[in-house]
Amino acid sequence: MLRSVILAASRSSQVERLVATAPLTRDVVRRFVAGTGTDDALRATRELVADGLTVTLDNLGEDTVTPGQATATRDEYLALLRGLAAAGLTPAAEVSVKLSALGQRFDAQLAYDNVRAICVAADQAGTTVTLDMEDHTTTDSTLDTLVKLRKDHPSTGAVLQAYLRRTESDCRELAGVGSRVRLCKGAYAEPESVAYQSAREVDKSYVRCLNVLMSGAGYPMLATHDPRLIAIGEDRARWFDRGPDEFEFQMLYGIRPEEQARLAGEGYTVRTYLPYGEDWYGYLMRRLAERPANLVFFGRALASKK
Ligand SMILES: Cc1cc2nc3c(=O)[nH]c(=O)nc-3n(C[C@H](O)[C@H](O)[C@H](O)COP(=O)(O)OP(=O)(O)OC[C@H]3O[C@@H](n4cnc5c(N)ncnc54)[C@H](O)[C@@H]3O)c2cc1C
């Protein structure tokens, strides 16, 4: 219930204005977001890589409504990839891209041209691109785009969301050789017709999907902060004899950093999802929806007169 309210607020421009102008919002944002510009992103990436982590960078922004916005997002990724290569941060750092930020909702061809340009730049920089997954109305078109991109850029990664009923079958489709698949629980408010509603059902689906991916021939990317699922991931890695270059754990910047360090210290590949940019509102609200404790933290900041 609380989760649905917060997710609804994530689409409200009135709530966005209220949150963006609150005195301590900047401190809260800083916990989850690297900063607003390319330089902030490069600095945070350098620090994470120095700590033995790998990184996937997300230029914040989604649901763009004009071709100009979509092109500006593409250009920011191109600049970021040039910066990562120049700083010697590839291949440890790759990029995550939302097709809605590249125009998917109003011009599918424009979104495709933009993401293809990013894939070409990633190839030149010596790194990879992962297509973030958004709400279920975009799943088919995102997976269609993935198939097209993989013809020329076979390392392009996909994201599958365990809360969707279809995902176990999508995992089977995408568990082939060379296929990079990030498995997450899913972050959007979805109807019962397409998605499991209880945490227990979502967790059970995650384990089924994890089993398919870890027993398959692809490269699984287990994106979760959930201690039980991480333990199951470690167990399956032993069971299926997967070394550190044959799968990875992924977590969000600012969430369970000690666990990220512990796993990296044990020799696993751990990738931190590092968002940056001005457009942090939708991202921050999804993080708050995931965990009531963060809402208390955020409420205190909003109430502060400082
Ligand atoms: C690398 C990465 C990429 C992602 N990409 C996508 C994507 O493309 N599409 C999409 O829909 N979703 C994406 N997600 C979000 C994902 O779907 C979940 O919403 C999110 O990861 C929370 O689920 P969880 O597996 O951590 O489990 P949860 O059940 O939410 O949490 C399990 C435990 O983790 C800790 N924890 C979880 N969240 C927080 C938090 N916000 N603050 C502090 N502690 C926390 C707590 O200890 C909690 O008990 C991504 C997540 C990650 C890690």
Side-chain angles (χ1 to χ4, degrees):
M1 169 67 180
L2 183 58
R3 181 168 177 267
S4 311
V5 171
I6 301 172
L7 288 172
S10 77
R11 300 213 171 256
S12 156
S13 53
Q14 277 166 316
V15 181
E16 178 172 359
R17 263 196 306 280
L18 179 73
V19 171
T21 54
L24 270 192
T25 291
R26 196 149 282 277
D27 288 349
V28 179
V29 173
R30 211 175 283 142
R31 177 177 163 194
F32 297 108
V33 175
T36 50
T38 320
D39 288 348
D40 297 317
L42 293 173
R43 177 193 34 77
T45 303
R46 212 174 282 116
E47 287 167 10
L48 292 165
V49 171
D51 286 343
L53 300 165
T54 59
V55 178
T56 185
L57 286 122
D58 168 35
N59 176 226
L60 289 168
E62 48 203 277
D63 294 340
T64 55
V65 289
T66 67
Q69 285 174 322
T71 307
T73 302
R74 178 202 66 192
D75 290 346
E76 173 53 33
Y77 273 103
L78 301 185
L80 174 67
L81 285 160
R82 281 194 300 272
L84 289 170
L89 291 167
T90 53
E94 63 134 35
V95 295
S96 285
V97 174
K98 282 187 178 50
L99 291 179
S100 73
L102 298 174
Q104 184 185 38
R105 289 194 195 275
F106 60 88
D107 186 341
Q109 185 60 44
L110 175 71
Y112 180 69
D113 291 344
N114 283 337
V115 72
R116 206 177 39 159
I118 295 170
C119 288
V120 169
D123 282 351
Q124 284 164 357
T127 192
T128 49
V129 177
T130 298
L131 304 183
D132 280 351
M133 192 59 87
E134 302 180 66
D135 73 66
H136 80 277
T137 62
T138 64
T139 309
D140 279 326
S141 61
T142 301
L143 293 179
D144 288 348
T145 301
L146 176 84
V147 170
K148 271 168 51 183
L149 287 171
R150 278 193 173 157
K151 291 194 178 121
D152 289 328
H153 310 282
S155 63
T156 308
V159 178
L160 295 176
Q161 299 152 315
Y163 64 13
L164 293 186
R165 297 176 192 278
R166 60 179 283 170
T167 292
E168 190 179 343
S169 145
D170 287 335
C171 284
R172 286 185 208 291
E173 290 281 314
L174 291 178
V177 177
S179 172
R180 296 170 61 249
V181 178
R182 174 193 302 158
L183 179 64
C184 65
K185 288 190 187 181
Y188 298 81
E190 298 288 18
E192 192 173 0
S193 53
V194 298
Y196 300 112
Q197 302 293 307
S198 76
R200 191 158 174 274
E201 280 180 308
V202 175
D203 289 358
K204 280 164 61 181
S205 168
Y206 194 106
V207 175
R208 288 196 301 274
C209 294
L210 181 155
N211 285 338
V212 171
L213 295 175
M214 291 294 273
S215 62
Y219 182 82
M221 305 185 278
L222 305 179
T224 182
H225 313 94
D226 190 323
R228 281 196 311 168
L229 296 179
I230 292 169
I232 291 171
E234 290 182 272
D235 176 73
R236 298 305 188 270
R238 282 188 292 274
W239 183 258
F240 293 111
D241 205 17
R242 278 182 179 265
D245 56 345
E246 291 168 314
F247 84 108
E248 68 189 43
F249 289 107
Q250 296 191 345
M251 293 187 218
L252 304 176
Y253 182 68
I255 300 183
R256 302 201 72 203
E258 316 79 28
E259 179 66 357
Q260 299 186 29
R262 179 192 75 81
L263 288 166
E266 304 234 333
Y268 293 110
T269 300
V270 180
R271 193 173 299 279
T272 304
Y273 184 102
L274 181 66
Y276 76 98
E278 299 279 354
D279 200 359
W280 45 262
Y281 178 71
Y283 177 84
L284 182 69
M285 294 303 268
R286 285 197 296 281
R287 300 296 72 82
L288 294 180
E290 278 153 19
R291 191 164 151 81
N294 286 340
L295 196 61
V296 175
F297 176 68
F298 193 49
R300 276 202 209 110
L302 282 176
S304 164
K305 296 278 179 285
K306 262 211 290 189

